[in-house]
Amino acid sequence: MLPFTHAQFLEVFAAYNVAVWPSQVVAYVLAAVMLGSLAVLTPTWRGRIIAGGLSLMWLWTGIAYHWTQFTTINKAAWAFGALFALQGIFFLLASARGMLIFERAGPRLSRSVGWGLIAYAAIVYPLLGATVGPGYPEMPMFGITPCPVTLFTFGLLMLASGPVPRWMLLIPVIWSLVGGSAAFLLHVPQDWPLLLSGASVFLMARKARRPALRPQAQN
């Protein structure tokens, strides 16, 4: 049983979207920079930019959404926010150390799943929210709320070459279960694929068994 009603949940999104405007637009600009880096930068620098962008999204969502807004109806949001902030620090560390490498080529299955999740999070997700849900502002938005951020993260990590550290995947997998389960109770159909998105870690595990690329050779 959730400690808040569906109506209260929607009110949080409405208040949040109004309070943080135009961060919704900034999130798409940031995503465009991250995806654009795949076309113009070296493999290691793509990883730095993408990890840095994901760090901003996770830190923002943990602090601005969970701690500032969601705690008003759910005290567990203090813990959720801490997890998101920690994940943001993980990505910041990965950016600083060049721990993620993004080649243009890779396993077809993982790249197909990755681009599918990216497209869903950035395009299909908000369209579904506006079509089958209450619409803006009472809906989660791309890049600044937990579920689309998690979906976008899985999509980008599916494009990474070589292994993705397990500690970088743990919190997104936890949220795929927490947020995906709550989506059914709260009638947020655009969040339902979140439960399945965690399965992408199995494809990442397959990549992890492949020889890792040497970062110094990619600079």
Side-chain angles (χ1 to χ4, degrees):
M1 191 70 180
L2 295 173
F4 51 87
T5 66
H6 182 252
Q8 289 176 314
F9 185 62
L10 296 181
E11 288 171 1
V12 165
F13 281 117
Y16 176 62
N17 280 319
V18 171
V20 302
W21 173 262
S23 64
Q24 297 88 338
V25 177
V26 175
Y28 275 100
V29 173
L30 178 59
V33 171
M34 296 159 69
L35 296 176
S37 71
L38 294 172
V40 298
L41 298 179
T42 62
T44 298
W45 274 103
R46 294 171 200 155
R48 291 182 187 274
I49 296 298
I50 288 172
L54 288 176
S55 174
L56 291 175
M57 287 185 173
W58 281 81
L59 285 169
W60 176 275
T61 303
I63 296 170
Y65 173 75
H66 278 304
W67 284 348
T68 303
Q69 297 291 336
F70 198 27
T71 51
T72 61
I73 62 171
N74 186 8
K75 298 307 178 185
W78 290 109
F80 296 155
L83 287 175
F84 270 69
L86 180 60
Q87 184 67 31
I89 293 172
F90 286 165
F91 279 125
L92 186 62
L93 178 65
S95 177
R97 296 187 176 181
M99 298 175 67
L100 294 177
I101 307 296
F102 286 81
E103 293 281 356
R104 287 196 176 91
R108 181 176 298 179
L109 177 59
S110 62
R111 293 185 68 82
S112 296
V113 172
W115 282 111
L117 288 172
I118 290 168
Y120 181 84
I123 301 172
V124 180
Y125 186 99
L127 290 178
L128 278 177
T131 303
V132 303
Y136 186 86
E138 297 177 315
M139 57 181 275
M141 294 296 293
F142 169 77
I144 61 169
T145 53
C147 295
V149 166
T150 303
L151 288 163
F152 188 62
T153 298
F154 278 131
L156 284 171
L157 292 182
M158 287 301 302
L159 303 182
S161 305
V164 176
R166 293 180 180 179
W167 52 266
M168 206 178 294
L169 297 171
L170 179 59
I171 293 174
V173 169
I174 290 174
W175 191 257
S176 74
L177 300 175
V178 173
S181 300
F184 285 91
L185 298 174
L186 293 167
H187 310 293
V188 186
Q190 64 266 40
D191 283 345
W192 293 349
L194 193 63
L195 278 172
L196 295 177
S197 70
S200 63
V201 297
F202 293 105
L203 290 176
M204 294 181 198
R206 288 183 60 190
K207 290 199 300 181
R209 291 195 292 268
R210 298 164 61 91
L213 294 174
R214 296 181 179 179
Q216 62 267 28
Q218 305 299 325
N219 289 313

